[in-house]
Amino acid sequence: MAYMSNLTEETMILAKKIEEKVKPYLEKADDMAFYNQQKVLAAFRHNNVSESHFYPSTGYGYDDEGRDTLERVYAETFGAEAAIVRPQIISGTHAITLSLFGVLRPGDELIYITGKPYDTLQSIVDGGDKDTGSLKDFHISYQHVDLLDDKAVDWERVKEVVSDKTKVIAIQRSKGYAVRPSFTIDQIEDMIKNIRAIKEDAIIFVDNCYGEFVDAVEPTELGADLMAGSLIKNPGGGLAKVGGYIAGKAKYVEQCSYRMTSPGIGAEAGPSLNALLDMYQGFFLSPHVVAQALKGAIFTSAILEEVGMKPSPRYDVKRTDLIQSVSFNTPEQMIQFCQSIQANSPVNAQFAPQPAPMPGYEDDVIMAAGTFVQGASIELSADGPIRPPYTAYVQGGLTYEHVKYAILNAVQNLQK
């Protein structure tokens, strides 16, 4: 039986108009993919990746050459001295937790200079009334510096709050659920230079989630001491089933490895099980997959602006991550949009997501994520907390065609 699209002729005419409008920006995303593909391929070749590196290890995972080679590939690609890439790291938040607990000690201080970090990070620094083992429970202090009205870093305030006990200064590249632009790699480079001028020996940490392969360089290539991310986001290429990474200066990565396993054991142990093939192949594919998601985000921004929504960033703005946000007038519009994305997903399309409480978030959250890997943000999803200005955060997409189709359906439903 022949497939009949439910998209109207009017919607398809609109789609063609938008694609003509954004054509130069889609081509730029392809150019970036070509550059980063060469970068990844060079690391594979230089480290002599072989079929034997895909074999699993079990138990303690000692002498796992496939795991160790993958970590060298990551380090070389990201311009870092060392890296940890493990299936035992379950998320970006977990990778960030290991990074912070790895290098901070009682009496030290952590400062985020890019405003309040996203909701799940709050439980890392302060467990509230519960004894969760947060940084606060270990007498590690924390504060963040609010951004200025123009969403730039308040350097005067940073100078005031940095002290002798300040050990880690953190940067959140992506906006998360904040109403601000994500920071470009050029802005992060300037931040690193300014931090060095204020406190040269500070450990500079970058939450790099959603940012890998969007630009030609990564924060560790610009002088960041540590960065972390998730393999079910950009670097997993849609194939990694689980995992996270930490990359940076070798001495700090080693300290993080002791938190990951146990003091004295560190990165020497940790079985790869059956994860290596997906991790290698996913990392190889990630420049292309990231470009597909970027192209989808550009198209999404342009068409939502065309029909009167408020997208951020605009389609013609230089990208630094995968996140495309759109603000709605009412919570009902936001819910309907997310439900349209779910209804046009390859998995669980028969279900309609509803706002609900989620651990680590202050407000009810709606999450549309019909993904092959649970929670994979490299696959198309749309989510956000139900609070003004009723902003949905759209990210990912394994293929541009899928993003285009799902967004066209969502726009068609909104117009009805």
Side-chain angles (χ1 to χ4, degrees), residues 60 63 112 144 212 240-241 263 346 413-414:
Y60 295 129
D63 303 317
Y112 263 82
H144 67 266
E212 300 88 355
K241 307 298 188 296
N413 289 337
L414 283 171

Side-chain angles (χ1 to χ4, degrees), residues 358-370:
M358 288 197 67
Y361 295 93
E362 296 177 359
D363 303 277
D364 285 358
V365 176
I366 186 167
M367 302 196 79

Side-chain angles (χ1 to χ4, degrees), residues 84 86 97-99 101-103 105 246 250-269:
I84 302 170
R86 302 292 171 110
T97 301
L98 294 175
S99 300
F101 275 95
V103 299
R105 300 291 181 266
I246 300 168
K251 62 180 179 180
Y252 299 132
V253 171
E254 183 179 15
Q255 288 178 329
C256 296
S257 76
Y258 294 138
R259 173 58 58 173
M260 177 183 67
T261 57
S262 178
I265 295 177
E268 295 299 318

Side-chain angles (χ1 to χ4, degrees), residues 115-242:
K116 186 178 179 180
Y118 52 83
D119 299 53
T120 55
L121 264 292
Q122 292 301 308
S123 57
I124 297 174
V125 299
D126 183 357
D129 296 332
K130 296 181 180 179
D131 183 9
T132 59
S134 66
L135 292 176
K136 181 181 177 182
D137 292 334
F138 284 87
H139 305 288
I140 298 168
S141 58
Y142 155 80
Q143 58 180 315
H144 67 266
V145 177
D146 290 326
L147 297 173
L148 297 170
D149 291 342
D150 63 357
K151 306 307 178 186
V153 174
D154 186 347
W155 290 110
E156 291 304 315
R157 180 61 180 157
V158 172
K159 291 175 185 176
E160 289 175 5
V161 300
V162 169
S163 67
D164 291 341
K165 69 176 184 178
T166 304
K167 187 173 184 181
V168 175
I169 298 179
I171 298 166
Q172 184 177 300
R173 179 175 182 172
S174 179
K175 60 185 167 186
Y177 283 160
V179 185
R180 67 156 172 91
S182 298
F183 290 109
T184 67
I185 204 71
D186 293 335
Q187 290 173 311
I188 292 173
E189 183 176 21
D190 287 339
M191 290 179 202
I192 292 170
K193 290 177 181 176
N194 285 333
I195 292 168
R196 292 286 179 231
I198 295 169
K199 188 172 173 63
E200 187 176 6
D201 63 345
I203 298 172
I204 301 175
F205 170 76
V206 179
D207 172 357
N208 204 38
C209 288
Y210 301 104
E212 300 88 355
F213 298 123
V214 175
D215 214 317
V217 293
E218 302 297 337
T220 39
E221 296 175 82
L222 301 173
D225 297 302
L226 273 179
M227 70 178 188
S230 167
L231 267 60
I232 62 171
K233 293 183 173 70
N234 304 25
L239 291 184
K241 307 298 188 296
V242 70

